[in-house]
Amino acid sequence: CVPPLQNGTPQLAGPSVLHSPFSSFSGKKARTFDLEAMFEQTRRTAVERSRKVLEAREREKKDQAEKEFRSPCADSSASASSATGAGSTLTQREAACSESEGSSDEELTGPSVQSQTSAQGPAEDTDDDDEDDEFIGPPLPPGFKDSDDDNDNDDTEEEDTNPVKKIPDSHEITLQHGTKTVSALGLDPSGARLITGGYDYDVKFWDFAGMDASLQAFRSLQPCECHQIKSLQYSSTGDVILVVSGNSQAKVLDRDGFPVMECIKGDQYIVDMTNTKGHTAMLNSGCWHPKIKEEFLTCSNDGTVRTWDVNNEKKHKSVFKPRSVQGKRVIPTTCTYSRDGKLIAAGCQDGSIQIWDRNMSVSQVFDYNICY
């Protein structure tokens, strides 16, 4: 019931009691939290969990190690039982296995199982091929060679002694002289330059040090006009070049191709070739003296072999005339000096090889050897 109003205000009977929604909490205190204690409790919980996880991992590792250790013990006991006269070995292995099982929870100390079995004597050796293949002990001395290593070394020695393997053919180039046959080559004694001659009458000079990627000759000339080049050779010092062509006059050029000397041509109307000053027919070959750098040798279809001096182009030095067994004239197709330069040899058209003493005059010439 609502009390009567006095002066516009309600009048309450009895003591005045006001009820509010928060009147039930008026008698309680606010709850406080200790953050440091909460953090400490959380840390302890985490440490405890980590310790349990580590203990579980350690147990797994010990169990695995125990299984691995038991397997070789079982294999060794089986092999020992199959061998005759190995009862003591079996008992020793069983004792070792039992001791290892008893101390499986502890750390393994001492030498390995393989070293223990090897120290027990030759009666305890097993037939395992795997153990024989593994090398145990200090490294091999420097001079020791295994049988397999010997076989490998023999193969490498055979490859080293093979002369074909020593040819430096890993890099190669192709020099294009021309479109016709290359009939003569000459290499500088130092290996720096090369000269080529062919049926196109050209003589080309190649310098390996100054050659670019185009691989072109640095000089090309025709020293004998319209005659094919038959022989090219550097002197022993490499400063001059002997050019033998299809005509009767040999030429000497310097390293750059400029003329130094030209042999004189003989009189073709004289019957005795010893009375002429030079060749009267086509040249076949020529070469330099191995010891005297000014002297060279030529042979011709006129049936003579002649020596020349670079400083005297008016006449040859000496003449040699090859003869057949019947005493007839034979054409020399090639000629050369001996290694010491004391002998002169000529290969003739009839298949003979005739040799003379270089120091003999034409009247004293005789054949050292005639081969057919």
Side-chain angles (χ1 to χ4, degrees):
C1 61
V2 179
L5 298 176
Q6 295 181 2
N7 298 327
T9 58
Q11 299 291 328
L12 297 177
S16 62
V17 179
L18 297 177
H19 296 277
S20 65
F22 300 100
S23 61
S24 61
F25 298 98
S26 60
K28 295 182 179 179
K29 293 183 179 180
R31 186 178 178 180
T32 59
F33 299 93
D34 190 355
L35 295 180
E36 294 182 357
M38 294 173 66
F39 287 151
E40 182 65 20
Q41 184 65 26
T42 304
R43 186 184 67 80
R44 291 179 179 177
T45 304
V47 169
E48 184 67 20
R49 289 182 179 178
S50 299
R51 186 180 62 79
K52 292 180 179 180
V53 171
L54 292 176
E55 289 179 354
R57 290 180 180 177
E58 289 179 357
R59 286 196 214 96
E60 291 179 359
K61 290 182 180 180
K62 289 181 180 180
D63 295 340
Q64 186 68 21
E66 184 178 356
K67 291 179 181 179
E68 291 178 356
F69 184 75
R70 286 179 180 178
S71 58
C73 291
D75 295 338
S76 61
S77 61
S79 61
S81 61
S82 61
T84 60
S88 61
T89 304
L90 180 60
T91 55
Q92 291 177 1
R93 291 184 181 276
E94 290 178 353
C97 292
S98 61
E99 290 176 0
S100 62
E101 290 176 358
S103 60
S104 60
D105 296 337
E106 298 178 357
E107 294 182 357
L108 296 175
T109 59
S112 61
V113 179
Q114 189 172 4
S115 61
Q116 290 177 359
T117 55
S118 62
Q120 290 177 359
E124 299 176 0
D125 294 339
T126 61
D127 297 331
D128 295 337
D129 295 334
D130 296 336
E131 293 180 0
D132 295 335
D133 294 337
E134 294 179 358
F135 181 77
I136 303 173
L140 296 175
F144 180 79
K145 291 183 179 179
D146 196 2
S147 59
D148 298 336
D149 297 338
D150 294 340
N151 296 331
D152 296 340
N153 294 333
D154 294 339
D155 296 337
T156 55
E157 288 178 359
E158 291 179 359
E159 294 179 357
D160 294 339
T161 55
N162 189 0
V164 179
K165 299 295 183 180
K166 297 181 180 180
I167 299 176
D169 58 350
S170 60
H171 300 78
E172 62 179 14
I173 60 173
T174 301
L175 303 178
Q176 189 67 30
H177 173 83
T179 58
K180 294 187 178 181
T181 304
V182 178
S183 57
L185 289 173
L187 184 64
D188 180 49
S190 63
R193 287 190 177 184
L194 176 71
I195 51 175
T196 58
Y199 284 3
D200 55 359
Y201 321 134
D202 290 338
V203 174
K204 293 189 177 182
F205 294 75
W206 311 82
D207 188 0
F208 297 117
M211 191 181 297
D212 56 6
S214 62
L215 304 178
Q216 296 296 322
F218 73 90
R219 180 157 297 172
S220 177
L221 51 91
Q222 295 182 355
C224 302
E225 297 177 353
C226 58
H227 295 282
Q228 297 175 354
I229 307 300
K230 292 195 171 184
S231 177
L232 295 171
Q233 187 180 16
Y234 278 92
S235 64
S236 58
T237 57
D239 54 349
V240 288
I241 303 166
L242 175 63
V243 180
V244 177
S245 63
N247 64 351
S248 60
Q249 295 175 274
K251 287 189 176 182
V252 178
L253 308 177
D254 63 2
R255 288 178 61 85
D256 296 326
F258 296 102
V260 175
M261 175 257 189
E262 183 179 7
C263 297
I264 192 171
K265 185 177 181 180
D267 189 354
Q268 59 184 351
Y269 296 104
I270 298 177
V271 178
D272 190 1
M273 290 292 101
T274 59
N275 297 326
T276 61
K277 297 180 180 180
H279 290 291
T280 60
M282 179 183 68
L283 298 176
N284 291 324
S285 180
C287 65
W288 287 98
H289 194 282
K291 302 295 183 181
I292 305 172
K293 65 178 182 179
E294 294 87 4
E295 183 179 331
F296 61 92
L297 180 70
T298 58
C299 63
S300 172
N301 280 350
D302 61 3
T304 61
V305 178
R306 301 174 188 262
T307 59
W308 301 83
D309 191 348
V310 176
N311 300 323
N312 184 14
E313 61 183 11
K314 299 298 182 181
K315 187 179 179 181
H316 58 260
K317 289 180 66 176
S318 59
V319 181
F320 304 91
K321 295 191 295 184
R323 297 296 179 184
S324 65
V325 178
Q326 294 80 14
K328 295 182 180 181
R329 187 184 70 170
V330 178
I331 296 175
T333 56
T334 184
C335 59
T336 185
Y337 284 96
S338 62
R339 184 172 295 180
D340 56 1
K342 295 181 180 180
L343 300 177
I344 293 174
C348 301
Q349 202 171 29
D350 63 346
S352 64
I353 300 174
Q354 302 185 23
I355 303 173
W356 304 275
D357 189 348
R358 169 185 166 273
N359 297 323
M360 285 187 177
S361 63
V362 66
S363 60
Q364 297 173 333
V365 171
F366 65 96
D367 296 345
Y368 271 89
N369 188 12
I370 298 178
C371 302
Y372 290 91

